[in-house]
mmCIF file of all heavy atoms in Angstrom:
data_model
loop_
_atom_site.group_PDB
_atom_site.id
_atom_site.type_symbol
_atom_site.label_atom_id
_atom_site.label_comp_id
_atom_site.label_asym_id
_atom_site.label_seq_id
_atom_site.Cartn_x
_atom_site.Cartn_y
_atom_site.Cartn_z
ATOM 1 N N PRO M 67 -52.082 -12.641 -50.741
ATOM 2 C CA PRO M 67 -51.599 -13.184 -49.468
ATOM 3 C C PRO M 67 -50.345 -14.012 -49.689
ATOM 4 O O PRO M 67 -50.175 -14.630 -50.740
ATOM 5 C CB PRO M 67 -52.760 -14.053 -48.980
ATOM 6 C CG PRO M 67 -53.955 -13.501 -49.658
ATOM 7 C CD PRO M 67 -53.487 -12.990 -50.990
ATOM 8 N N ILE M 68 -49.474 -14.055 -48.685
ATOM 9 C CA ILE M 68 -48.230 -14.824 -48.815
ATOM 10 C C ILE M 68 -48.409 -16.221 -48.244
ATOM 11 O O ILE M 68 -49.407 -16.505 -47.571
ATOM 12 C CB ILE M 68 -47.063 -14.119 -48.094
ATOM 13 C CG1 ILE M 68 -47.388 -13.915 -46.615
ATOM 14 C CG2 ILE M 68 -46.715 -12.815 -48.783
ATOM 15 C CD1 ILE M 68 -46.247 -13.372 -45.807
ATOM 16 N N GLU M 70 -48.361 -19.493 -46.114
ATOM 17 C CA GLU M 70 -48.546 -19.687 -44.672
ATOM 18 C C GLU M 70 -47.226 -19.999 -43.960
ATOM 19 O O GLU M 70 -46.960 -19.522 -42.867
ATOM 20 C CB GLU M 70 -49.534 -20.848 -44.459
ATOM 21 C CG GLU M 70 -50.048 -21.005 -43.038
ATOM 22 C CD GLU M 70 -50.987 -19.875 -42.628
ATOM 23 O OE1 GLU M 70 -51.665 -19.296 -43.510
ATOM 24 O OE2 GLU M 70 -51.004 -19.567 -41.424
ATOM 25 N N LEU M 73 -45.148 -17.215 -42.595
ATOM 26 C CA LEU M 73 -45.604 -16.698 -41.305
ATOM 27 C C LEU M 73 -45.161 -17.624 -40.174
ATOM 28 O O LEU M 73 -44.753 -17.167 -39.103
ATOM 29 C CB LEU M 73 -47.134 -16.546 -41.303
ATOM 30 C CG LEU M 73 -47.668 -15.595 -42.379
ATOM 31 C CD1 LEU M 73 -49.192 -15.520 -42.318
ATOM 32 C CD2 LEU M 73 -47.080 -14.198 -42.216
ATOM 33 N N GLN M 83 -46.390 -10.572 -35.255
ATOM 34 C CA GLN M 83 -46.928 -10.340 -36.592
ATOM 35 C C GLN M 83 -48.249 -9.585 -36.542
ATOM 36 O O GLN M 83 -49.011 -9.714 -35.602
ATOM 37 C CB GLN M 83 -47.212 -11.673 -37.293
ATOM 38 C CG GLN M 83 -45.992 -12.544 -37.412
ATOM 39 C CD GLN M 83 -46.338 -13.904 -37.985
ATOM 40 O OE1 GLN M 83 -47.347 -14.042 -38.664
ATOM 41 N NE2 GLN M 83 -45.503 -14.879 -37.705
ATOM 42 N N ALA M 84 -48.491 -8.814 -37.616
ATOM 43 C CA ALA M 84 -49.799 -8.192 -37.838
ATOM 44 C C ALA M 84 -49.988 -8.071 -39.340
ATOM 45 O O ALA M 84 -49.017 -8.182 -40.095
ATOM 46 C CB ALA M 84 -49.843 -6.822 -37.174
ATOM 47 N N GLN M 85 -51.227 -7.895 -39.771
ATOM 48 C CA GLN M 85 -51.475 -7.710 -41.201
ATOM 49 C C GLN M 85 -52.446 -6.554 -41.413
ATOM 50 O O GLN M 85 -53.334 -6.341 -40.603
ATOM 51 C CB GLN M 85 -52.124 -8.964 -41.836
ATOM 52 C CG GLN M 85 -51.196 -10.142 -41.994
ATOM 53 C CD GLN M 85 -51.572 -11.257 -41.048
ATOM 54 O OE1 GLN M 85 -52.732 -11.639 -40.972
ATOM 55 N NE2 GLN M 85 -50.610 -11.767 -40.299
ATOM 56 N N THR M 86 -52.232 -5.848 -42.516
ATOM 57 C CA THR M 86 -53.250 -4.886 -42.945
ATOM 58 C C THR M 86 -53.514 -5.129 -44.417
ATOM 59 O O THR M 86 -52.661 -5.635 -45.138
ATOM 60 C CB THR M 86 -52.800 -3.421 -42.747
ATOM 61 O OG1 THR M 86 -51.728 -3.139 -43.637
ATOM 62 C CG2 THR M 86 -52.365 -3.150 -41.317
ATOM 63 N N VAL M 87 -54.749 -4.805 -44.826
ATOM 64 C CA VAL M 87 -55.116 -4.922 -46.240
ATOM 65 C C VAL M 87 -55.699 -3.577 -46.649
ATOM 66 O O VAL M 87 -56.557 -3.036 -45.952
ATOM 67 C CB VAL M 87 -56.183 -6.029 -46.448
ATOM 68 C CG1 VAL M 87 -56.451 -6.222 -47.936
ATOM 69 C CG2 VAL M 87 -55.739 -7.331 -45.794
ATOM 70 N N ASP M 88 -55.171 -3.017 -47.733
ATOM 71 C CA ASP M 88 -55.649 -1.721 -48.212
ATOM 72 C C ASP M 88 -56.363 -1.910 -49.542
ATOM 73 O O ASP M 88 -55.860 -2.599 -50.423
ATOM 74 C CB ASP M 88 -54.451 -0.777 -48.470
ATOM 75 C CG ASP M 88 -53.975 -0.094 -47.212
ATOM 76 O OD1 ASP M 88 -54.263 -0.624 -46.112
ATOM 77 O OD2 ASP M 88 -53.304 0.950 -47.333
ATOM 78 N N PHE M 89 -57.507 -1.295 -49.675
ATOM 79 C CA PHE M 89 -58.150 -1.266 -50.994
ATOM 80 C C PHE M 89 -59.105 -0.075 -51.037
ATOM 81 O O PHE M 89 -59.580 0.383 -50.004
ATOM 82 C CB PHE M 89 -58.895 -2.581 -51.294
ATOM 83 C CG PHE M 89 -59.931 -2.961 -50.270
ATOM 84 C CD1 PHE M 89 -61.254 -2.502 -50.382
ATOM 85 C CD2 PHE M 89 -59.588 -3.786 -49.199
ATOM 86 C CE1 PHE M 89 -62.192 -2.873 -49.432
ATOM 87 C CE2 PHE M 89 -60.537 -4.157 -48.261
ATOM 88 C CZ PHE M 89 -61.849 -3.698 -48.374
ATOM 89 N N ILE M 104 -59.998 1.958 -47.740
ATOM 90 C CA ILE M 104 -60.286 1.038 -46.643
ATOM 91 C C ILE M 104 -58.983 0.419 -46.154
ATOM 92 O O ILE M 104 -58.122 0.050 -46.961
ATOM 93 C CB ILE M 104 -61.230 -0.104 -47.093
ATOM 94 C CG1 ILE M 104 -62.403 0.446 -47.913
ATOM 95 C CG2 ILE M 104 -61.691 -0.919 -45.892
ATOM 96 C CD1 ILE M 104 -63.370 1.293 -47.131
ATOM 97 N N LYS M 105 -58.893 0.303 -44.852
ATOM 98 C CA LYS M 105 -57.735 -0.387 -44.287
ATOM 99 C C LYS M 105 -58.264 -1.404 -43.305
ATOM 100 O O LYS M 105 -58.942 -1.048 -42.332
ATOM 101 C CB LYS M 105 -56.829 0.623 -43.582
ATOM 102 C CG LYS M 105 -55.616 0.005 -42.920
ATOM 103 C CD LYS M 105 -54.681 1.125 -42.473
ATOM 104 C CE LYS M 105 -53.350 0.587 -42.022
ATOM 105 N NZ LYS M 105 -52.284 1.540 -42.364
ATOM 106 N N VAL M 106 -57.945 -2.671 -43.603
ATOM 107 C CA VAL M 106 -58.378 -3.760 -42.733
ATOM 108 C C VAL M 106 -57.195 -4.105 -41.837
ATOM 109 O O VAL M 106 -56.101 -4.348 -42.341
ATOM 110 C CB VAL M 106 -58.769 -4.987 -43.582
ATOM 111 C CG1 VAL M 106 -59.315 -6.089 -42.694
ATOM 112 C CG2 VAL M 106 -59.765 -4.593 -44.655
ATOM 113 N N VAL M 107 -57.405 -4.106 -40.523
ATOM 114 C CA VAL M 107 -56.263 -4.360 -39.644
ATOM 115 C C VAL M 107 -56.496 -5.586 -38.771
ATOM 116 O O VAL M 107 -57.625 -5.862 -38.354
ATOM 117 C CB VAL M 107 -55.943 -3.131 -38.749
ATOM 118 C CG1 VAL M 107 -55.671 -1.906 -39.598
ATOM 119 C CG2 VAL M 107 -57.051 -2.856 -37.746
ATOM 120 N N SER M 108 -55.426 -6.313 -38.489
ATOM 121 C CA SER M 108 -55.520 -7.514 -37.662
ATOM 122 C C SER M 108 -55.271 -7.152 -36.204
ATOM 123 O O SER M 108 -54.981 -6.007 -35.871
ATOM 124 C CB SER M 108 -54.464 -8.520 -38.112
ATOM 125 O OG SER M 108 -53.187 -8.042 -37.724
ATOM 126 N N ASN M 109 -55.378 -8.153 -35.347
ATOM 127 C CA ASN M 109 -54.947 -7.982 -33.962
ATOM 128 C C ASN M 109 -53.484 -7.577 -33.952
ATOM 129 O O ASN M 109 -52.751 -7.898 -34.876
ATOM 130 C CB ASN M 109 -55.074 -9.306 -33.198
ATOM 131 C CG ASN M 109 -56.520 -9.671 -32.996
ATOM 132 O OD1 ASN M 109 -57.392 -8.795 -33.052
ATOM 133 N ND2 ASN M 109 -56.774 -10.956 -32.799
ATOM 134 N N ARG M 110 -53.074 -6.942 -32.905
ATOM 135 C CA ARG M 110 -51.674 -6.517 -32.679
ATOM 136 C C ARG M 110 -51.269 -5.318 -33.531
ATOM 137 O O ARG M 110 -50.203 -4.756 -33.324
ATOM 138 C CB ARG M 110 -50.661 -7.647 -32.964
ATOM 139 C CG ARG M 110 -50.734 -8.769 -31.954
ATOM 140 C CD ARG M 110 -49.330 -9.169 -31.555
ATOM 141 N NE ARG M 110 -49.346 -10.167 -30.493
ATOM 142 C CZ ARG M 110 -49.233 -11.475 -30.692
ATOM 143 N NH1 ARG M 110 -49.104 -11.929 -31.921
ATOM 144 N NH2 ARG M 110 -49.253 -12.294 -29.674
ATOM 145 N N TYR M 111 -52.114 -4.947 -34.526
ATOM 146 C CA TYR M 111 -51.759 -3.757 -35.302
ATOM 147 C C TYR M 111 -51.981 -2.539 -34.429
ATOM 148 O O TYR M 111 -53.003 -2.465 -33.759
ATOM 149 C CB TYR M 111 -52.603 -3.654 -36.578
ATOM 150 C CG TYR M 111 -52.449 -2.320 -37.266
ATOM 151 C CD1 TYR M 111 -51.432 -2.110 -38.178
ATOM 152 C CD2 TYR M 111 -53.309 -1.245 -36.953
ATOM 153 C CE1 TYR M 111 -51.262 -0.867 -38.777
ATOM 154 C CE2 TYR M 111 -53.138 -0.009 -37.542
ATOM 155 C CZ TYR M 111 -52.115 0.184 -38.447
ATOM 156 O OH TYR M 111 -51.943 1.426 -39.026
ATOM 157 N N GLU M 133 -54.517 -0.554 -30.351
ATOM 158 C CA GLU M 133 -55.233 -1.557 -31.136
ATOM 159 C C GLU M 133 -56.221 -0.841 -32.042
ATOM 160 O O GLU M 133 -56.710 0.239 -31.702
ATOM 161 C CB GLU M 133 -56.024 -2.473 -30.199
ATOM 162 C CG GLU M 133 -55.170 -3.418 -29.364
ATOM 163 C CD GLU M 133 -55.066 -4.807 -29.980
ATOM 164 O OE1 GLU M 133 -55.992 -5.606 -29.764
ATOM 165 O OE2 GLU M 133 -54.075 -5.074 -30.696
ATOM 166 N N GLY M 134 -56.528 -1.448 -33.175
ATOM 167 C CA GLY M 134 -57.499 -0.875 -34.098
ATOM 168 C C GLY M 134 -58.937 -1.230 -33.688
ATOM 169 O O GLY M 134 -59.180 -1.676 -32.571
ATOM 170 N N PRO M 135 -59.893 -1.044 -34.613
ATOM 171 C CA PRO M 135 -61.306 -1.327 -34.305
ATOM 172 C C PRO M 135 -61.556 -2.804 -34.001
ATOM 173 O O PRO M 135 -60.870 -3.679 -34.528
ATOM 174 C CB PRO M 135 -62.034 -0.907 -35.587
ATOM 175 C CG PRO M 135 -61.002 -0.763 -36.634
ATOM 176 C CD PRO M 135 -59.696 -0.507 -35.967
ATOM 177 N N VAL M 136 -62.543 -3.065 -33.127
ATOM 178 C CA VAL M 136 -62.922 -4.451 -32.832
ATOM 179 C C VAL M 136 -63.950 -4.905 -33.859
ATOM 180 O O VAL M 136 -64.466 -4.106 -34.642
ATOM 181 C CB VAL M 136 -63.507 -4.586 -31.405
ATOM 182 C CG1 VAL M 136 -62.443 -4.253 -30.367
ATOM 183 C CG2 VAL M 136 -64.739 -3.716 -31.236
ATOM 184 N N LYS M 137 -64.243 -6.197 -33.855
ATOM 185 C CA LYS M 137 -65.196 -6.787 -34.804
ATOM 186 C C LYS M 137 -66.542 -6.050 -34.723
ATOM 187 O O LYS M 137 -67.041 -5.753 -33.636
ATOM 188 C CB LYS M 137 -65.392 -8.263 -34.451
ATOM 189 C CG LYS M 137 -66.301 -9.031 -35.393
ATOM 190 C CD LYS M 137 -66.355 -10.503 -34.972
ATOM 191 C CE LYS M 137 -67.458 -11.274 -35.665
ATOM 192 N NZ LYS M 137 -67.305 -11.331 -37.126
ATOM 193 N N GLY M 138 -67.080 -5.707 -35.897
ATOM 194 C CA GLY M 138 -68.384 -5.072 -35.960
ATOM 195 C C GLY M 138 -68.346 -3.562 -35.905
ATOM 196 O O GLY M 138 -69.357 -2.895 -36.094
ATOM 197 N N SER M 139 -67.173 -3.018 -35.656
ATOM 198 C CA SER M 139 -67.096 -1.553 -35.569
ATOM 199 C C SER M 139 -66.218 -1.013 -36.689
ATOM 200 O O SER M 139 -65.429 -1.736 -37.285
ATOM 201 C CB SER M 139 -66.551 -1.125 -34.210
ATOM 202 O OG SER M 139 -65.193 -1.499 -34.108
ATOM 203 N N VAL M 140 -66.379 0.284 -36.958
ATOM 204 C CA VAL M 140 -65.587 0.923 -37.992
ATOM 205 C C VAL M 140 -65.124 2.281 -37.484
ATOM 206 O O VAL M 140 -65.844 2.954 -36.762
ATOM 207 C CB VAL M 140 -66.385 1.040 -39.313
ATOM 208 C CG1 VAL M 140 -67.672 1.820 -39.098
ATOM 209 C CG2 VAL M 140 -65.554 1.686 -40.415
ATOM 210 N N LYS M 163 -71.330 -5.270 -45.888
ATOM 211 C CA LYS M 163 -71.395 -5.458 -44.438
ATOM 212 C C LYS M 163 -71.630 -4.139 -43.701
ATOM 213 O O LYS M 163 -70.811 -3.214 -43.775
ATOM 214 C CB LYS M 163 -70.059 -6.081 -43.972
ATOM 215 C CG LYS M 163 -69.875 -6.194 -42.477
ATOM 216 C CD LYS M 163 -70.727 -7.309 -41.865
ATOM 217 C CE LYS M 163 -70.428 -7.435 -40.375
ATOM 218 N NZ LYS M 163 -71.333 -8.384 -39.725
ATOM 219 N N LEU M 165 -71.489 -1.787 -40.538
ATOM 220 C CA LEU M 165 -70.695 -1.741 -39.309
ATOM 221 C C LEU M 165 -71.032 -0.463 -38.556
ATOM 222 O O LEU M 165 -71.491 0.511 -39.153
ATOM 223 C CB LEU M 165 -69.201 -1.750 -39.643
ATOM 224 C CG LEU M 165 -68.686 -2.993 -40.375
ATOM 225 C CD1 LEU M 165 -67.330 -2.737 -41.011
ATOM 226 C CD2 LEU M 165 -68.606 -4.186 -39.417
ATOM 227 N N VAL M 188 -60.908 4.718 -43.893
ATOM 228 C CA VAL M 188 -61.875 3.928 -43.131
ATOM 229 C C VAL M 188 -61.113 2.712 -42.617
ATOM 230 O O VAL M 188 -60.404 2.059 -43.376
ATOM 231 C CB VAL M 188 -63.059 3.465 -44.025
ATOM 232 C CG1 VAL M 188 -63.917 2.455 -43.292
ATOM 233 C CG2 VAL M 188 -63.886 4.649 -44.483
ATOM 234 N N MET M 189 -61.245 2.413 -41.324
ATOM 235 C CA MET M 189 -60.478 1.293 -40.767
ATOM 236 C C MET M 189 -61.426 0.287 -40.140
ATOM 237 O O MET M 189 -62.293 0.665 -39.342
ATOM 238 C CB MET M 189 -59.496 1.817 -39.713
ATOM 239 C CG MET M 189 -58.488 0.791 -39.235
ATOM 240 S SD MET M 189 -57.335 1.520 -38.048
ATOM 241 C CE MET M 189 -56.177 2.299 -39.145
ATOM 242 N N ILE M 190 -61.260 -0.995 -40.540
ATOM 243 C CA ILE M 190 -62.139 -2.035 -39.976
ATOM 244 C C ILE M 190 -61.291 -3.213 -39.494
ATOM 245 O O ILE M 190 -60.101 -3.304 -39.808
ATOM 246 C CB ILE M 190 -63.178 -2.543 -41.019
ATOM 247 C CG1 ILE M 190 -62.454 -3.264 -42.182
ATOM 248 C CG2 ILE M 190 -64.048 -1.409 -41.521
ATOM 249 C CD1 ILE M 190 -63.404 -3.981 -43.131
ATOM 250 N N ASN M 191 -61.950 -4.101 -38.749
ATOM 251 C CA ASN M 191 -61.249 -5.269 -38.229
ATOM 252 C C ASN M 191 -61.181 -6.360 -39.285
ATOM 253 O O ASN M 191 -62.101 -6.541 -40.087
ATOM 254 C CB ASN M 191 -61.975 -5.784 -36.981
ATOM 255 C CG ASN M 191 -61.150 -6.812 -36.238
ATOM 256 O OD1 ASN M 191 -61.003 -7.949 -36.683
ATOM 257 N ND2 ASN M 191 -60.581 -6.389 -35.108
ATOM 258 N N GLN M 192 -60.082 -7.137 -39.220
ATOM 259 C CA GLN M 192 -59.834 -8.198 -40.196
ATOM 260 C C GLN M 192 -60.967 -9.231 -40.229
ATOM 261 O O GLN M 192 -61.291 -9.778 -41.273
ATOM 262 C CB GLN M 192 -58.521 -8.884 -39.822
ATOM 263 C CG GLN M 192 -57.977 -9.793 -40.896
ATOM 264 C CD GLN M 192 -56.654 -10.407 -40.454
ATOM 265 O OE1 GLN M 192 -56.454 -10.672 -39.279
ATOM 266 N NE2 GLN M 192 -55.764 -10.599 -41.403
ATOM 267 N N THR M 193 -61.579 -9.478 -39.057
ATOM 268 C CA THR M 193 -62.609 -10.521 -38.985
ATOM 269 C C THR M 193 -63.870 -10.145 -39.748
ATOM 270 O O THR M 193 -64.701 -10.990 -40.035
ATOM 271 C CB THR M 193 -62.972 -10.819 -37.517
ATOM 272 O OG1 THR M 193 -63.211 -9.576 -36.866
ATOM 273 C CG2 THR M 193 -61.838 -11.556 -36.812
ATOM 274 N N ASP M 194 -64.018 -8.844 -40.098
ATOM 275 C CA ASP M 194 -65.187 -8.425 -40.869
ATOM 276 C C ASP M 194 -64.931 -8.402 -42.371
ATOM 277 O O ASP M 194 -65.839 -8.135 -43.156
ATOM 278 C CB ASP M 194 -65.634 -7.023 -40.427
ATOM 279 C CG ASP M 194 -66.215 -7.034 -39.022
ATOM 280 O OD1 ASP M 194 -66.912 -8.016 -38.682
ATOM 281 O OD2 ASP M 194 -65.949 -6.076 -38.263
ATOM 282 N N LEU M 195 -63.669 -8.674 -42.764
ATOM 283 C CA LEU M 195 -63.308 -8.510 -44.177
ATOM 284 C C LEU M 195 -64.124 -9.414 -45.108
ATOM 285 O O LEU M 195 -64.697 -8.952 -46.097
ATOM 286 C CB LEU M 195 -61.804 -8.770 -44.376
ATOM 287 C CG LEU M 195 -61.297 -8.724 -45.818
ATOM 288 C CD1 LEU M 195 -61.551 -7.357 -46.444
ATOM 289 C CD2 LEU M 195 -59.819 -9.067 -45.909
ATOM 290 N N ALA M 196 -64.220 -10.671 -44.735
ATOM 291 C CA ALA M 196 -64.896 -11.627 -45.612
ATOM 292 C C ALA M 196 -66.343 -11.205 -45.862
ATOM 293 O O ALA M 196 -66.829 -11.235 -47.001
ATOM 294 C CB ALA M 196 -64.829 -13.022 -45.007
ATOM 295 N N ALA M 197 -67.028 -10.740 -44.812
ATOM 296 C CA ALA M 197 -68.439 -10.394 -44.926
ATOM 297 C C ALA M 197 -68.676 -9.193 -45.843
ATOM 298 O O ALA M 197 -69.758 -9.029 -46.390
ATOM 299 C CB ALA M 197 -69.008 -10.114 -43.530
ATOM 300 N N THR M 198 -67.665 -8.336 -46.009
ATOM 301 C CA THR M 198 -67.864 -7.186 -46.900
ATOM 302 C C THR M 198 -67.911 -7.630 -48.357
ATOM 303 O O THR M 198 -68.463 -6.948 -49.200
ATOM 304 C CB THR M 198 -66.718 -6.163 -46.760
ATOM 305 O OG1 THR M 198 -65.502 -6.766 -47.233
ATOM 306 C CG2 THR M 198 -66.554 -5.682 -45.344
ATOM 307 N N ASN M 199 -67.289 -8.782 -48.604
ATOM 308 C CA ASN M 199 -67.244 -9.323 -49.961
ATOM 309 C C ASN M 199 -66.654 -8.327 -50.960
ATOM 310 O O ASN M 199 -67.101 -8.228 -52.082
ATOM 311 C CB ASN M 199 -68.663 -9.737 -50.385
ATOM 312 C CG ASN M 199 -68.605 -10.855 -51.425
ATOM 313 O OD1 ASN M 199 -67.544 -11.463 -51.616
ATOM 314 N ND2 ASN M 199 -69.717 -11.098 -52.097
ATOM 315 N N ILE M 201 -63.327 -8.003 -51.813
ATOM 316 C CA ILE M 201 -62.158 -8.395 -52.575
ATOM 317 C C ILE M 201 -62.543 -9.394 -53.649
ATOM 318 O O ILE M 201 -62.878 -10.531 -53.366
ATOM 319 C CB ILE M 201 -61.076 -8.958 -51.638
ATOM 320 C CG1 ILE M 201 -60.682 -7.850 -50.648
ATOM 321 C CG2 ILE M 201 -59.873 -9.449 -52.430
ATOM 322 C CD1 ILE M 201 -59.577 -8.187 -49.719
ATOM 323 N N HIS M 208 -53.833 -4.173 -51.696
ATOM 324 C CA HIS M 208 -52.464 -4.252 -51.180
ATOM 325 C C HIS M 208 -52.475 -4.978 -49.851
ATOM 326 O O HIS M 208 -53.213 -4.603 -48.956
ATOM 327 C CB HIS M 208 -51.912 -2.840 -50.929
ATOM 328 C CG HIS M 208 -51.002 -2.375 -51.996
ATOM 329 N ND1 HIS M 208 -49.730 -2.826 -52.129
ATOM 330 C CD2 HIS M 208 -51.195 -1.470 -52.998
ATOM 331 C CE1 HIS M 208 -49.164 -2.231 -53.156
ATOM 332 N NE2 HIS M 208 -50.042 -1.414 -53.712
ATOM 333 N N TYR M 209 -51.650 -6.011 -49.749
ATOM 334 C CA TYR M 209 -51.505 -6.700 -48.456
ATOM 335 C C TYR M 209 -50.198 -6.243 -47.816
ATOM 336 O O TYR M 209 -49.165 -6.176 -48.480
ATOM 337 C CB TYR M 209 -51.457 -8.214 -48.657
ATOM 338 C CG TYR M 209 -52.759 -8.794 -49.137
ATOM 339 C CD1 TYR M 209 -53.070 -8.837 -50.497
ATOM 340 C CD2 TYR M 209 -53.682 -9.314 -48.210
ATOM 341 C CE1 TYR M 209 -54.266 -9.362 -50.942
ATOM 342 C CE2 TYR M 209 -54.885 -9.844 -48.654
ATOM 343 C CZ TYR M 209 -55.179 -9.867 -50.015
ATOM 344 O OH TYR M 209 -56.356 -10.397 -50.440
ATOM 345 N N PHE M 210 -50.248 -5.957 -46.540
ATOM 346 C CA PHE M 210 -49.017 -5.637 -45.804
ATOM 347 C C PHE M 210 -48.866 -6.626 -44.663
ATOM 348 O O PHE M 210 -49.705 -6.645 -43.753
ATOM 349 C CB PHE M 210 -49.073 -4.209 -45.245
ATOM 350 C CG PHE M 210 -49.139 -3.156 -46.318
ATOM 351 C CD1 PHE M 210 -50.366 -2.622 -46.716
ATOM 352 C CD2 PHE M 210 -47.978 -2.709 -46.936
ATOM 353 C CE1 PHE M 210 -50.432 -1.662 -47.709
ATOM 354 C CE2 PHE M 210 -48.040 -1.746 -47.928
ATOM 355 C CZ PHE M 210 -49.267 -1.218 -48.324
ATOM 356 N N PHE M 211 -47.839 -7.477 -44.747
ATOM 357 C CA PHE M 211 -47.548 -8.408 -43.655
ATOM 358 C C PHE M 211 -46.434 -7.786 -42.821
ATOM 359 O O PHE M 211 -45.343 -7.515 -43.322
ATOM 360 C CB PHE M 211 -47.159 -9.775 -44.218
ATOM 361 C CG PHE M 211 -48.308 -10.451 -44.889
ATOM 362 C CD1 PHE M 211 -48.595 -10.209 -46.230
ATOM 363 C CD2 PHE M 211 -49.149 -11.295 -44.145
ATOM 364 C CE1 PHE M 211 -49.692 -10.799 -46.826
ATOM 365 C CE2 PHE M 211 -50.247 -11.891 -44.760
ATOM 366 C CZ PHE M 211 -50.518 -11.642 -46.102
ATOM 367 N N GLN M 212 -46.748 -7.537 -41.561
ATOM 368 C CA GLN M 212 -45.840 -6.749 -40.722
ATOM 369 C C GLN M 212 -45.230 -7.616 -39.634
ATOM 370 O O GLN M 212 -45.894 -8.490 -39.081
ATOM 371 C CB GLN M 212 -46.613 -5.583 -40.086
ATOM 372 C CG GLN M 212 -47.290 -4.736 -41.145
ATOM 373 C CD GLN M 212 -48.285 -3.754 -40.557
ATOM 374 O OE1 GLN M 212 -48.873 -4.009 -39.514
ATOM 375 N NE2 GLN M 212 -48.461 -2.637 -41.242
#
Side-chain angles (χ1 to χ4, degrees):
Chain M
I68 58 174
E70 192 70 29
L73 300 179
Q83 302 174 23
Q85 288 110 49
T86 67
V87 185
D88 277 22
F89 56 89
I104 314 292
K105 178 170 190 146
V106 184
V107 303
S108 71
N109 291 338
R110 291 224 175 97
Y111 169 87
E133 289 263 277
V136 295
K137 183 177 168 62
S139 68
V140 58
K163 173 74 176 173
L165 298 163
V188 170
M189 190 178 278
I190 65 171
N191 192 287
Q192 193 179 33
T193 49
D194 291 322
L195 176 60
T198 66
N199 207 14
I201 299 184
H208 259 285
Y209 292 86
F210 296 96
F211 292 87
Q212 304 168 331

